[in-house]
Amino acid sequence: MASDVNELLDMLFEMIEEAKGVPLASDKCMVDRTDALDRIDEIRSAFPMELAEAKKLLAARNDYLASAKREGDLIIQQAEERAKQLLAENELLNKAKRESEEMRRKAEELSRELKQAANRYCDDALRRTEEAVAEAYDEIKRSRAQFRAKAAGMTEPPQPQNKPFDAETEG
């Protein structure tokens, strides 16, 4: 006895193919009724086994697909979480870069302002020193003129001239 439905169907096909034709009807044949019905009963009885195996295969396939879907969903979820983490780290890094750039810009601006203030202070200090030295120089010239006048017996000192000091001519 055949075990699988395909074998039984092949046997039934051969039986019909090898059957003797009906005279004057080329598309009809004579088949042993008992033999054909036995084959059909065997096919019917084999179907439940085949169907059970097919159902088991379908169930296994569905379990496998469900497992693969769960695993795929887990991989997608992990990838999304990792992407969010990387994005958060990237945003944090960008924020730190922006803040450091802002701090650097402010430090450069403060440095520029301090340099300008220091230059103004130095210029002002040098100007005041120059004025003080010029006053002291004028005072020295007046004192020297008075000294010369007194030394020469003059009573009235000559008026100082506002020209730069030249050590060789005044010497």
Side-chain angles (χ1 to χ4, degrees), residues 38-70:
D38 286 345
R39 297 282 180 251
I40 292 173
D41 281 342
E42 287 179 32
I43 291 171
R44 282 186 183 155
S45 65
F47 265 129
M49 288 188 306
E50 295 276 333
L51 288 176
E53 282 186 45
K55 286 180 183 178
K56 285 180 188 175
L57 287 174
L58 282 175
R61 177 185 154 266
N62 289 339
D63 288 346
Y64 178 76
L65 289 175
S67 173
K69 182 173 179 0
R70 283 191 303 273

Side-chain angles (χ1 to χ4, degrees), residues 110-129:
L110 181 60
S111 172
R112 195 171 32 256
E113 289 173 4
L114 287 173
K115 283 179 186 176
Q116 289 173 351
N119 287 342
R120 285 191 303 270
Y121 175 78
C122 287
D123 186 54
D124 186 54
L126 288 172
R127 180 189 52 77
R128 284 183 280 126
T129 302

Side-chain angles (χ1 to χ4, degrees), residues 129-139:
T129 302
E130 182 182 19
E131 289 172 357
V133 168
E135 269 183 48
Y137 176 69
D138 289 343
E139 182 63 34

Side-chain angles (χ1 to χ4, degrees), residues 89-121:
E89 289 174 4
N90 192 31
E91 287 177 7
L92 185 61
L93 180 63
N94 286 339
K95 182 180 178 186
K97 283 181 181 178
R98 286 191 304 269
E99 288 178 2
S100 69
E101 183 62 30
E102 179 66 18
M103 290 172 64
R104 186 192 60 76
R105 187 190 61 72
K106 284 182 180 179
E108 286 176 352
E109 185 178 323
L110 181 60
S111 172
R112 195 171 32 256
E113 289 173 4
L114 287 173
K115 283 179 186 176
Q116 289 173 351
N119 287 342
R120 285 191 303 270
Y121 175 78

Side-chain angles (χ1 to χ4, degrees), residues 4-57:
D4 113 326
V5 173
N6 282 330
E7 284 180 38
L8 293 169
L9 286 172
D10 288 343
M11 290 170 67
L12 184 59
F13 182 82
E14 284 177 30
M15 181 189 304
I16 293 171
E17 190 176 53
E18 293 173 0
K20 292 186 182 191
V22 174
L24 301 174
S26 63
D27 61 338
K28 297 192 188 261
C29 67
M30 292 183 11
V31 177
D32 181 357
R33 180 182 302 208
T34 306
D35 204 17
L37 290 175
D38 286 345
R39 297 282 180 251
I40 292 173
D41 281 342
E42 287 179 32
I43 291 171
R44 282 186 183 155
S45 65
F47 265 129
M49 288 188 306
E50 295 276 333
L51 288 176
E53 282 186 45
K55 286 180 183 178
K56 285 180 188 175
L57 287 174

Side-chain angles (χ1 to χ4, degrees), residues 137-149:
Y137 176 69
D138 289 343
E139 182 63 34
I140 290 171
K141 280 175 62 176
R142 282 192 296 275
S143 295
R144 190 169 174 216
Q146 286 175 353
F147 174 74
R148 283 185 184 161

